[in-house]
Amino acid sequence: MDTPHDCESVEEIKAALQKNNQALAMEKIKEYVDKQNNIPLNIAITGETGSGKSTFINAFRGVKHGDAGYAPTGVRECTKVPTPYTHPNYPNVKLWDLPGVGGKHFPADQYLNDVGFENYDFFIIISDTRFRENDVKLAREIQRMKKKFYFVRSKIDNDIRAQKLCQSEFSEAEIKEQIKEDCIKCLQEQGIQSPQVFLVSSFELHLHDFSLFIETLERELPEHKRNALLFAMPNINQQIINKKKEAFQANIKWYAALSAAVAAVPLPGLSVGVDAALLAHVAKQYAVSFGLDVPSLENLAKSTGVPFKDFMASILSPLAATKITPDLIIKVLTQCASAAALMAAEEGSRFIPFLGIPAAMALSFTTTYRMLNFILNELADDAQRVFEKALGCNTTE
């Protein structure tokens, strides 16, 4: 469902087009698209010192030790003040590493005021053992102030490994269920009703409850914040890839409308040039979000042990793992017979008296709409192939 702002933007664009005010229509479309791509999302990560907050932040952002923006980790209290860590590809998404609740610098009863409670969209309370008194105090205060919070039980891989070593009959599912039930019971005994607890390993985000956690966030976040979260997410399963594709698909009509508005300007070659630049800009967004840019693929190779060349061998689109430029887009377009024919028809129709401009606008809209769908489908398919390669073709986890 569209937000009131979305509906207002749509009406403004329609009104501008109906009045044949192409410049205003272009301005409104650009404003709308820019706002959709730059909605701020501020996520607070809190918990007691040593619970794994910084490790979680690094994993969520796909940042490894030695990378720019790496959040320092360790058993000592690393974080003295609320510290923002910007997503490397989506600067509108920030994860805030908050000081350990209950530490000597931030007593629990003053914590929310001291860390700037109002700055965050929701809170993730992390613990590597049972959730303690300070965690519960914090949750109650967040609840009182009517914001969302979630309990993440971290380092679950350590617990599973330890239990496996000391049990002759080992069941990972039973151990995880026992840990979750223990956390929930502990929180309920301290007065938290129906607590949501998610078991997570920051070193294996595709396993355990992380997918369920993201599904919960998507369901409970305001609609205009969901895409900001979704686009910044690592591709931990096929569902994430599909959801990204659907979200990108929903915005294609706006880029096509912008292309149509440009086509109304009777200058030879203008529309093709703008369309190529527009398509290049959008294709870069797709490639980065799907993890098909070179830095993302190199990081994936390091974290999975799969050689970079193996990922490259599974990629088919000429727009993946390369520098996407308007010239490359035009090359791809000319190799697609239907797109080339539509572009030629648009240029030819532009100077037909009376009917030329409306025809050029319709053809430009159609060309951009079809090409963006084509590019999106190809890159989404490549993302799926890379994902399968990363997990050794095992996508059942």
Side-chain angles (χ1 to χ4, degrees):
M1 184 176 180
D2 289 338
T3 65
H5 172 75
D6 289 338
C7 295
E8 182 181 341
S9 296
V10 170
E11 292 307 312
E12 288 176 343
I13 293 166
K14 284 182 178 178
L17 290 172
Q18 287 167 357
K19 294 177 182 176
N20 201 30
N21 190 337
Q22 308 301 333
L24 180 59
M26 288 172 62
E27 180 185 338
K28 293 299 179 182
I29 292 169
K30 285 180 179 177
E31 285 179 7
Y32 176 85
V33 171
D34 286 344
K35 283 186 178 181
Q36 295 305 302
N37 291 334
N38 292 289
I39 291 172
L41 182 66
N42 291 284
I43 305 170
I45 313 295
T46 185
E48 294 198 346
T49 301
S51 59
K53 296 184 277 98
S54 297
T55 304
F56 180 87
I57 288 171
N58 290 328
F60 188 100
R61 295 158 57 240
V63 175
K64 305 292 186 296
H65 188 272
D67 291 345
Y70 179 81
T73 60
V75 295
R76 63 185 177 83
E77 185 175 350
C78 293
T79 307
K80 302 293 186 183
V81 295
T83 305
Y85 289 94
T86 301
H87 192 282
N89 296 324
Y90 292 91
N92 54 310
V93 177
K94 292 179 182 176
L95 282 78
W96 291 77
D97 191 357
L98 303 190
V101 61
K104 61 183 179 179
H105 300 289
F106 288 89
D109 56 350
Q110 302 173 24
Y111 186 83
L112 288 177
N113 285 333
D114 290 341
V115 300
F117 168 85
E118 68 283 353
N119 295 328
Y120 314 112
D121 291 293
F122 61 90
F123 288 74
I124 299 174
I125 303 172
I126 294 183
S127 178
D128 60 341
T129 59
R130 284 186 174 187
F131 292 91
R132 303 179 178 91
E133 180 183 0
N134 283 332
D135 299 318
V136 173
K137 285 181 180 178
L138 178 59
R140 285 176 179 162
E141 192 64 14
I142 296 171
Q143 197 169 39
R144 186 181 70 80
M145 295 186 177
K146 302 187 185 306
K147 282 203 176 182
K148 292 286 186 180
F149 62 91
Y150 306 90
F151 293 103
V152 166
R153 171 59 162 79
S154 65
K155 305 181 183 179
I156 193 66
D157 49 332
N158 291 345
D159 295 274
I160 292 171
R161 190 159 45 247
Q163 291 297 322
K164 190 173 184 178
L165 289 172
C166 64
Q167 290 186 16
S168 56
E169 295 185 4
F170 173 77
S171 170
E172 181 176 316
E174 288 181 7
I175 288 171
K176 291 198 292 187
E177 188 62 30
Q178 289 171 6
I179 292 172
K180 182 176 285 192
E181 287 179 358
D182 187 46
C183 288
I184 290 173
K185 181 180 178 182
C186 175
L187 290 167
Q188 288 175 333
E189 288 174 350
Q190 297 182 75
I192 301 294
Q193 295 183 350
S194 304
Q196 298 186 81
V197 177
F198 302 92
L199 309 184
V200 170
S201 164
S202 293
F203 297 105
E204 299 172 314
L205 289 183
H206 62 287
L207 301 178
H208 316 305
D209 287 346
F210 189 73
S211 295
L212 177 61
F213 177 48
I214 296 305
E215 288 174 14
T216 303
L217 291 180
E218 282 188 282
R219 186 169 61 249
E220 298 186 357
L221 273 176
E223 186 172 1
H224 65 291
K225 298 279 186 177
R226 290 176 196 164
N227 284 356
L229 173 73
L230 181 62
F231 294 151
M233 279 295 305
N235 295 331
I236 58 169
N237 56 39
Q238 177 62 43
Q239 288 72 31
I240 291 290
I241 294 172
N242 288 340
K243 287 178 180 179
K244 287 183 179 182
K245 181 179 175 181
E246 290 170 5
F248 281 130
Q249 218 153 22
N251 271 339
I252 286 179
K253 59 182 179 290
W254 298 107
Y255 295 112
L258 176 57
S259 173
V262 172
V265 181
L267 292 175
L270 174 66
S271 183
V272 172
V274 172
D275 285 351
L278 177 65
L279 290 170
H281 174 73
V282 180
K284 286 176 189 176
Q285 293 180 1
Y286 296 168
V288 168
S289 184
F290 284 132
L292 296 174
D293 57 311
V294 170
S296 296
L297 290 169
E298 288 176 341
N299 280 338
L300 186 62
K302 290 177 186 176
S303 63
T304 61
V306 177
F308 177 79
K309 63 180 178 62
D310 288 359
F311 289 135
M312 291 297 296
S314 66
I315 288 172
L316 300 181
S317 172
L319 299 177
T322 190
K323 184 178 181 180
I324 301 174
T325 64
D327 287 343
L328 178 59
I329 290 292
I330 289 175
K331 182 178 178 181
V332 172
L333 286 172
T334 54
Q335 291 174 350
C336 177
S338 60
L342 284 169
M343 285 192 299
E346 177 193 338
E347 283 300 304
S349 67
R350 186 184 309 280
F351 302 101
I352 298 173
F354 305 112
L355 298 179
I357 293 300
M361 291 177 68
L363 288 167
S364 186
F365 182 98
T366 301
T367 303
T368 301
Y369 191 88
R370 287 184 181 178
M371 283 309 303
L372 281 179
N373 270 292
F374 173 77
I375 291 169
L376 179 59
N377 289 334
E378 290 232 318
L379 291 175
D381 288 345
D382 276 343
Q384 169 63 10
R385 282 187 284 270
V386 167
F387 172 70
E388 291 176 355
K389 183 69 69 175
L391 291 187
C393 297
N394 178 12
T395 59
T396 61
E397 292 283 5

